[in-house]
């Protein structure tokens, strides 16, 4: 830990671990507030893309802060070997832990998707693509509000309004990303649609035993609603899923359009069925 960080914060217990470092709780005696410290070992960043993302992460988070559905950055310390980000402290579980619990209602799922896409719409207004939307990267603050976190894969859209690179998590990645084409911010909407599907079904829409098999299923893109699982899911929810998990990017909804979908506007409260 750098002396600069130790001068301002007390380092407490480790609360998480990532590819390139650890996350610890830190306490600021001046403000009497606790934060999360994401400590990244720069020596582990041998890939130029990873190093570029590392440099982008604090810049992107600073640009996006504050927003009620995005983890806020408060401070940053950097030495030759380490980068330390002082972030808003969230609860010790993620949306992934929450959706493992059976019986998630449509109204709760609609609330969660509304919050996720509100955060995404904010990112997209700044020309930022998150590129790794999945339940593990969606956190809860201590009031129960959802926060998008882990901007380690995020980047800015280029001059043409696109980016490239196979980035993301197999179950949640959009087909245009898998194909190696230039893609835009709607790749995040596909991922958020898969998150919604998992919330309602308890299983992902595309799966396989290996990353390659999952990618093949994503590329086939046969979105199905098995009756056994979706019997009690409303037509409006399925309509939104079809429009988010849509192979044709031009027809896929934007984050702003998701927020205006009737199922979201009605808070998932609906009685109609297919």
């Amino acid at each position: 830990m750098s002396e600069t960080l130790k001068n301002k914060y007390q380092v407490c217990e480790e609360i998480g671990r990532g590819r390139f470092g650890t996350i610890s709780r830190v306490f600021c005696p001046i403000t009497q507030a606790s934060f999360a410290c994401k400590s990244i070992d720069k020596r582990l960043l041998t890939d130029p893309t990873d190093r570029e993302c590392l440099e982008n992460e604090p810049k992107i988070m600073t640009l996006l802060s504050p927003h009620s559905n995005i983890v806020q950055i408060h401070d940053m310390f950097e030495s030759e070997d380490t980068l330390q980000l002082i972030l808003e402290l969230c609860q010790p579980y993620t949306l992934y832990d929450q959706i493992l619990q059976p019986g998630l209602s449509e109204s709760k799922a609609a609330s969660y998707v509304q919050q996720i896409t509100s955060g995404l719409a904010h990112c997209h207004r700044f020309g930022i693509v998150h590129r790794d939307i999945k339940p593990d990267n969606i956190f809860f603050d201590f009031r129960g509000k959802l926060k998008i976190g882990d901007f380690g894969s995020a980047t800015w859209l280029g001059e043409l309004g696109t980016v490239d690179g196979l980035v993301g998590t197999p179950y949640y990645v959009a087909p245009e990303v898998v194909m190696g084409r230039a893609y835009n911010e709607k790749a995040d909407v596909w991922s958020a649609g898969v998150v919604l599907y998992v919330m309602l079904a308890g299983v992902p829409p595309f799966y396989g035993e290996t990353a390659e098999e999952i990618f093949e299923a994503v590329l086939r893109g046969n979105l199905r609603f098995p009756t056994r699982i979706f019997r009690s899911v409303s037509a409006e929810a399925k309509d939104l899923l079809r429009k988010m998990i849509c192979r044709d990017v031009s027809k896929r909804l934007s984050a702003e359009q998701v927020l205006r979908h009737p199922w979201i506007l009605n808070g998932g409260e609906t009685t109609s069925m297919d």
Side-chain angles (χ1 to χ4, degrees):
M1 291 284 178
S2 71
E3 281 307 308
T4 320
L5 182 135
K6 283 187 174 179
N7 288 344
K8 197 168 177 181
Y9 299 94
Q10 295 170 2
V11 181
C12 307
E13 72 278 9
E14 182 180 307
I15 55 176
R17 193 169 279 269
R19 273 193 306 161
F20 302 119
T22 58
I23 301 169
S24 303
R25 184 175 69 84
V26 295
F27 178 73
C28 178
I30 298 168
T31 62
Q32 293 288 296
S34 289
F35 300 93
C37 174
K38 183 175 183 178
S39 184
I40 300 161
D41 187 341
K42 294 197 283 189
R43 293 167 297 186
L44 298 175
L45 299 163
T46 53
D47 187 309
T49 304
D50 288 334
R51 186 165 284 276
E52 184 184 350
C53 286
L54 167 74
E55 291 169 358
N56 284 343
E57 186 172 8
K59 295 176 190 172
I60 285 172
M61 294 193 77
T62 300
L63 180 64
L64 294 173
S65 292
H67 186 276
S68 59
N69 298 118
I70 292 174
V71 171
Q72 190 165 347
I73 186 168
H74 291 274
D75 216 338
M76 184 179 93
F77 302 92
E78 189 166 13
S79 66
E80 190 177 341
D81 295 331
T82 310
L83 175 69
Q84 292 154 325
L85 307 180
I86 306 300
L87 307 170
E88 175 181 1
L89 183 66
C90 291
Q91 298 200 47
Y93 58 88
T94 66
L95 182 60
Y96 178 78
D97 301 300
Q98 180 76 8
I99 62 181
L100 288 178
Q101 309 298 320
L104 188 69
S105 67
E106 282 198 34
S107 58
K108 182 66 76 175
S111 170
Y112 287 165
V113 172
Q114 189 276 332
Q115 293 177 74
I116 294 166
T117 46
S118 177
L120 285 178
H122 183 67
C123 294
H124 299 166
R125 281 193 286 272
F126 283 94
I128 290 164
V129 194
H130 184 282
R131 300 204 293 181
D132 199 15
I133 293 295
K134 59 182 177 180
D136 320 54
N137 287 340
I138 311 292
F139 302 89
F140 290 88
D141 71 8
F142 286 90
R143 294 167 299 168
K145 189 179 283 288
L146 283 193
K147 303 270 182 172
I148 298 173
D150 198 344
F151 283 79
S153 299
T155 190
W156 280 274
L157 291 167
E159 288 181 11
L160 298 175
T162 59
V163 294
D164 52 37
L166 179 51
V167 178
T169 301
Y171 287 119
Y172 300 92
V173 73
E176 66 269 22
V177 179
V178 179
M179 283 187 268
R181 295 178 181 171
Y183 53 92
N184 62 21
E185 71 283 355
K186 285 188 178 179
D188 285 341
V189 175
W190 173 286
S191 302
V194 175
V195 172
L196 172 57
Y197 189 103
V198 173
M199 281 196 275
L200 294 173
V203 293
F206 313 111
Y207 47 88
E209 294 297 319
T210 64
E212 288 74 18
E213 286 181 11
I214 297 166
F215 286 148
E216 286 171 12
V218 168
L219 288 174
R220 284 195 298 273
N222 296 325
L223 184 63
R224 295 190 177 95
F225 300 114
T227 307
R228 182 176 55 84
I229 298 171
F230 279 87
R231 185 179 294 111
S232 61
V233 175
S234 68
E236 288 93 336
K238 293 175 196 169
D239 180 71
L240 178 57
L241 284 168
R242 288 187 191 98
K243 289 172 178 174
M244 293 177 77
I245 310 175
C246 175
R247 283 176 54 82
D248 186 339
V249 180
S250 68
K251 292 179 181 174
R252 190 182 307 159
L253 297 186
S254 67
E256 295 278 5
Q257 288 171 322
V258 172
L259 292 170
R260 297 195 295 271
H261 189 276
W263 187 74
I264 296 294
L265 293 175
N266 295 330
E269 296 293 341
T270 177
T271 55
S272 68
M273 301 285 173
D274 269 355

